[in-house]
Amino acid sequence: MPSILITGANRGLGFGLLKLYVDDGWRVYGCCRNPESAAELNAITDASNGALTLHRVDVEDDASIEALKTEIKGQPLDLLLIVAGYYGKVIMTEPGGLQEFGTSDYDDWGKILRVNIMGPMKMAEALVDNVAASDRKQLVAVSSVIGSVGDNTIGNLYAYRSSKAGLNAVMKSMSVNLKDRGITALPLHPGWVRTDMGGPAADLDPQTSVDGMKKVLDGLTPADAGRFLDYTGAELPW
Ligand SMILES: NC(=O)c1ccc[n+]([C@@H]2O[C@H](COP(=O)([O-])OP(=O)(O)OC[C@H]3O[C@@H](n4cnc5c(N)ncnc54)[C@H](OP(=O)(O)O)[C@@H]3O)[C@@H](O)[C@H]2O)c1
């Protein structure tokens, strides 16, 4: 039975992905900040006969990552899927949410960088041995086309854009450095999706996005290391 660890598993895209992997018969480690208050996740856990376990992880909290590392020491992870992310205090489609020049909130920007860049890096550093011990050896972070420098024609979104550009750089480096251990690392764009973060005006319903991402993830090969793909499998510009 292949195994996956998912961060941000309590809502949005992380929750949708978790359900797909549970239904597909994988061993699933679901991580979120407050598992005790995630009612739907707990119901799925109870019905899973041990295939799904929940783990408290706040990617800004090093101690929680260290505790997770201890909890799952020695367990192979075929796919480490880092989904947890933070846009900023105000989502893109709400007034003041475009993160325009002259409006920067540096405290919030710091949090965005910690969650979106350092969080995935810390998770990867903590769990790389688990990934290396698996059959598939895949390490994927949900990024965003907003982090593409080549695709940036509208400007704005300074804080979130810089965080996903940084995440892309981090995943590209991992794809190089972890190749010798047989690990396939890459960033994956989910599309613009109607979640709490994407807002109601987004292009895609969550099911279309998670179904697409799972299909792409199921089809990954080592040749995909260091590519920037979207939920349809298309390659995006850096
Ligand atoms: N929706 C889109 O259109 C879109 C487009 C491109 C990329 N993305 C990316 O896709 C990923 C998932 O987004 P989404 O749309 O599902 O967003 P969402 O509905 O806002 O969910 C965000 C998830 O991240 C978790 N999270 C936030 N800060 C965390 C932290 N410090 N530690 C652990 N978990 C944390 C949240 O947990 P809590 O419930 O505890 O806050 C929640 O589970 C993100 O990386 C996002 O940047 C989304």
Side-chain angles (χ1 to χ4, degrees), residues 93 145 189-195 198-206 208-209 231:
T93 51
V145 70
H189 169 56
W192 185 26
V193 194
R194 292 189 288 276
T195 60
D203 295 330
L204 298 175
D205 64 276
T208 301
S209 172
Y231 73 103

Side-chain angles (χ1 to χ4, degrees), residues 8-14 33 57-60 83-86 115 142-144 160 164 189-193 195-198:
N10 59 312
R11 63 185 169 99
L13 300 176
R33 290 194 281 194
V57 176
D58 180 332
V59 300
E60 283 191 276
V83 189
Y86 176 60
V115 174
V142 175
S143 183
S144 172
Y160 183 72
K164 292 299 190 180
H189 169 56
W192 185 26
V193 194
T195 60
D196 292 338
M197 187 187 293

Side-chain angles (χ1 to χ4, degrees), residues 144-211:
S144 172
V145 70
I146 288 172
S148 167
V149 174
D151 190 63
N152 181 1
T153 53
I154 60 164
N156 290 331
L157 317 178
Y158 284 89
Y160 183 72
R161 192 188 289 290
S162 63
S163 76
K164 292 299 190 180
L167 174 62
N168 287 351
V170 157
M171 296 311 296
K172 183 74 182 187
S173 273
M174 280 187 213
S175 75
V176 175
N177 298 131
L178 303 180
K179 197 173 184 175
D180 285 352
R181 299 186 71 179
I183 293 175
T184 302
L186 64 146
L188 178 63
H189 169 56
W192 185 26
V193 194
R194 292 189 288 276
T195 60
D196 292 338
M197 187 187 293
D203 295 330
L204 298 175
D205 64 276
Q207 199 60 47
T208 301
S209 172
V210 296
D211 285 344

Side-chain angles (χ1 to χ4, degrees), residues 203-227:
D203 295 330
L204 298 175
D205 64 276
Q207 199 60 47
T208 301
S209 172
V210 296
D211 285 344
M213 284 195 281
K214 181 156 188 311
K215 193 170 168 197
V216 172
L217 292 165
D218 285 346
L220 286 181
T221 73
D224 293 313
R227 297 177 74 201

